[in-house]
Every structure is written in structure tokens, then in C-alpha cells.
């Protein structure tokens, strides 16, 4: 594995085939990744984070009904011409982050919902013998240094596969991939095992995998042979776990930053409030509103 150690991570897979049933009826016609925190879709936060980490190629694993994602990352000549004509240069600037260099983005269909491991495997022909990132856009992470960039830096030291990790209350173990941990060096932890969505009793720790991964290509070979695991789905967690005994092993990075679970309504609302408060043009008005309604919140308790 030492050969791979210094290979740069330039590709990222975005599994975006999920139905987003937790946000129905909105997600009946809008992909959940297009839902906005303030005015930017969830997917935009993930793409910005990927770009900051040096990712140059973006692979979306999609499904039926996700066409809005393709349009979002397309150029919009009419819209751009009209903004230019009316001198709206700031808005034009805002649109720049939605533009992709031709050929930098690819869409692959996951024809059947068979799990995260299967979604990643669907993109196998676009990955050569190189490490790659996987980013779950539901997990939005606010951080001074973007989470994937922290991981790329850690990966340069570790090689092998690397997952983002965060401590969660043990009662939440059944919602996550949970790590069996070995030695740690600061925020970097050696992984001895991984189990997808264990019961509270079976959870080996309270350290959970969060939706950012750097994956060594041998995991794709494991996925070739992978049988279904937790929930009857092909789990990425299981395929990465098969690498713990490899030379480079598997590591977890306890990243710096605040993670929002935008796959849940409560997490999505928390992210909306936090990102709104972080915006210069909204801060004063929005903070004043929150102060105004706080007695109401206390009264309701
Ligand atoms: C996925 C992974 C799980 C991980 C989680 C993080 O689960 O399978 O290991 O802990 O993302 O958000 P999902 O939330 O898609 O069910």
C-alpha cells in the first residue's frame, strides 16, 4: 500500500440516489440534495468542500428523478446573459460555483437501491488504481478548515482508508457505522473494526462514522464480492472493515467542526439556523428575531 500513500486524491463520489423519503412531499419532485440551507443547495456545500480539498473530478451516483442535479451544475446561458445585461454582477459571481469544467462531472445511475456500498461500486469504472473520496451530502460540516481537507492532510500521513468520525451518545449507535478503536495519536485513531448500525449493546464504542471517506481502491475489489449486510444492503462500512488488517490499515479522523445531520428534519433546521446566523447580510435581523421568539420557546416548554 505504501505506493498509494502519496497518490493525490482527485476524485470524489457523491452517492445521491436516495429517495429522501424523510422529506416527502417536498422530495416527490425535488431531489433532497437540492434542498437549500439559506440559498445554497446541500450539494453545493459538499462540492465546495470537495474543491477546497483539491478534488478535480466529481462522480454522482444518481437515480430516476435526479435530473435537477444535472441542470444545477450546467451552464445557464440565458440566465447569465440576462444577469449580465442588467448589471447584476454579484449574482453572476454567485452562479460561478455552480459551473463545472466540461468533463469534470459524471453521472452514473444506481439502478437498484442496494445500499451505500453498492452505490460506490456503481462508479468503479470511473476510478483507476487510485484513492478516492466519498462524500454524503446529507452530512453538512461547518469548519474553519473544510473537513475533507483535514482528511486529505491526515491521509498523506496514514495512507490506507480513512473515515471521518465523531463521538455520539451510545443510544444513537443504531443510526451509524460504529468504530472499534485501537491506539490513537491526537485526533487520528487506528481502527480495529467497524460495524454498520449495531444495537446499543453490540456497539464497540461511541465513535461514529460521518459521511466523509478517503478510500483505497482495493475496497472496490472487496465490493465486487460483497454480500448484503445490515438492513439487507451492501454496506460500505463492511467493505472498509475488511481492510483493517492490511498493511496501511484503516484510520479515523476526529475532525474539527460542527456536523449537521441534514438527512433529518431537526438537523436540517439546526443547520438552517446556524448557516443563516453566519451570513453577514442576515445576521442582525435573524438574531433579533430569534431573541424575540425565545420567550415563546421557553413558554412552550
Ligand atoms: C451512512 C453510513 C453510516 C454512517 C452514516 C453517516 O448511513 O452507512 O455508516 O455512519 O451514513 O451519516 P445512512 O445515514 O446513509 O443510513
Amino acid at each position: 500500500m505504501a505506493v498509494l500513500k502519496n497518490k493525490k486524491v482527485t476524485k470524489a463520489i457523491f452517492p445521491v440516489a436516495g429517495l429522501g423519503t424523510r422529506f416527502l412531499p417536498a422530495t416527490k419532485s425535488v431531489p433532497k440534495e437540492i434542498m437549500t440551507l439559506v440559498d445554497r443547495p446541500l450539494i453545493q456545500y459538499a462540492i465546495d468542500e470537495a474543491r477546497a480539498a483539491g478534488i478535480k473530478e466529481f462522480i454522482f451516483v444518481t437515480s430516476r428523478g435526479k435530473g435537477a442535479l444535472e441542470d444545477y451544475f450546467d451552464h445557464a446561458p440565458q440566465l447569465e446573459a440576462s444577469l449580465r445585461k442588467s448589471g447584476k454582477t454579484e449574482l453572476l459571481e454567485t452562479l460561478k460555483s455552480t459551473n463545472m469544467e466540461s468533463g469534470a462531472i459524471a453521472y452514473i445511475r444506481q439502478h437498484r437501491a442496494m445500499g451505500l456500498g453498492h452505490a460506490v461500486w456503481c462508479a468503479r469504472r470511473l476510478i483507476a488504481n487510485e484513492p478516492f473520496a466519498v462524500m454524503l451530502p446529507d452530512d453538512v460540516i461547518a469548519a474553519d478548515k473544510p473537513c475533507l481537507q483535514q482528511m486529505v492532510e491526515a491521509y498523506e500521513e496514514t495512507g490506507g482508508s480513512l473515515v471521518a468520525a465523531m463521538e455520539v451518545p451510545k443510544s444513537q449507535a443504531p443510526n451509524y457505522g460504529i468504530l472499534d478503536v485501537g491506539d490513537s495519536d491526537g485526533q487520528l485513531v487506528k481502527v480495529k473494526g467497524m460495524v454498520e448500525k449495531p444495537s446499543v449493546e453490540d456497539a464497540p464504542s461511541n465513535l461514529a462514522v460521518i459521511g466523509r471517506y478517503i478510500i483505497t481502491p482495493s475496497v472496490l475489489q472487496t465490493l465486487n464480492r460483497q454480500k448484503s449486510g445490515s438492513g439487507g444492503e451492501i454496506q460500505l462500512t463492511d467493505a472498509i472493515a475488511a481492510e483493517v488488517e492490511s498493511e496501511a490499515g484503516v484510520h479515523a479522523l476526529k475532525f474539527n467542526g460542527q456536523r449537521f445531520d441534514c438527512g433529518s428534519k431537526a438537523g436540517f433546521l439546526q443547520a438552517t439556523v446556524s448557516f443563516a446566523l453566519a451570513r453577514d447580510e442576515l445576521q442582525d435581523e435573524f438574531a433579533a428575531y430569534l431573541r424575540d421568539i425565545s420567550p415563546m420557546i421557553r413558554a412552550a416548554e
Side-chain angles (χ1 to χ4, degrees):
M1 284 304 122
V3 195
L4 286 175
K5 191 164 171 177
N6 296 320
K7 268 206 178 175
K8 279 216 169 331
V9 184
T10 60
K11 294 182 182 173
I13 299 177
F14 300 81
V16 290
L19 291 176
T21 46
R22 280 195 268 180
F23 286 93
L24 280 170
T27 46
K28 185 180 171 201
S29 64
V30 179
K32 70 171 169 175
E33 298 78 14
I34 291 286
M35 296 199 335
T36 56
L37 297 177
V38 189
D39 50 12
R40 296 157 74 74
L42 289 182
I43 192 69
Q44 184 72 61
Y45 290 91
I47 293 289
D48 290 351
E49 187 183 326
R51 281 180 170 141
I55 299 297
K56 302 278 183 263
E57 290 180 53
F58 308 83
I59 303 164
F60 282 38
V61 182
T62 69
S63 59
R64 190 177 297 270
K66 297 282 181 164
L69 279 169
E70 296 193 33
D71 291 341
Y72 181 81
F73 289 107
D74 202 356
H75 285 251
Q78 265 185 331
L79 174 63
E80 285 164 25
S82 129
L83 292 175
R84 203 166 294 118
K85 213 170 137 201
S86 44
K88 297 197 166 134
T89 42
E90 245 176 69
L91 286 178
L92 268 173
E93 201 54 36
T94 308
L95 280 185
K96 270 197 181 152
S97 60
T98 69
N99 288 344
M100 283 281 176
E101 193 197 331
S102 295
I105 189 161
Y107 301 90
I108 290 277
R109 281 244 172 145
Q110 184 185 21
H111 295 106
R112 284 194 289 158
M114 289 173 65
L116 181 58
H118 179 259
V120 169
W121 178 79
C122 287
R124 66 199 177 282
R125 292 201 174 87
L126 298 178
I127 304 283
N129 188 29
E130 61 199 319
F132 57 95
V134 173
M135 301 182 75
L136 310 187
D138 275 2
D139 282 330
V140 175
I141 300 169
D144 289 339
K145 185 186 280 187
C147 180
L148 192 66
Q149 194 180 340
Q150 296 175 40
M151 291 178 72
V152 164
E153 287 170 13
Y155 168 80
E156 278 161 12
E157 302 299 317
T158 60
S161 290
L162 176 72
V163 299
M166 179 181 116
E167 273 155 22
V168 298
K170 203 116 191 226
S171 60
Q172 288 189 26
N175 299 324
Y176 293 97
I178 300 288
L179 300 168
D180 185 2
V181 293
D183 296 343
S184 63
D185 176 9
Q187 288 162 276
L188 205 54
V189 180
K190 178 96 180 150
V191 174
K192 290 199 298 189
M194 293 169 75
V195 31
E196 181 67 9
K197 306 203 168 92
S199 65
V200 174
E201 302 75 52
D202 292 343
S205 75
N206 66 343
L207 199 58
V209 177
I210 298 304
R212 302 287 184 276
Y213 307 78
I214 292 176
I215 293 181
T216 196
S218 50
V219 169
L220 291 174
Q221 273 126 49
T222 307
L223 283 170
N224 278 332
R225 305 183 297 268
Q226 193 88 5
K227 305 241 171 21
S228 48
S230 167
E233 297 186 330
I234 296 177
Q235 297 298 347
L236 185 59
T237 300
D238 298 341
I240 299 173
E243 304 270 310
V244 294
E245 303 284 341
S246 68
E247 196 186 325
V250 176
H251 291 82
L253 179 71
K254 293 190 201 168
F255 58 92
N256 294 320
Q258 189 179 4
R259 174 258 185 173
F260 296 95
D261 173 13
C262 291
S264 79
K265 285 175 198 161
F268 192 90
L269 290 169
Q270 286 158 16
T272 300
V273 172
S274 294
F275 281 91
L277 286 174
R279 290 280 284 265
D280 288 344
E281 76 278 22
L282 290 172
Q283 214 169 53
D284 293 347
E285 195 183 338
F286 194 52
Y289 170 72
L290 292 178
R291 269 194 297 272
D292 279 356
I293 63 165
S294 64
M296 258 162 58
I297 299 173
R298 275 195 290 273
E301 274 167 2

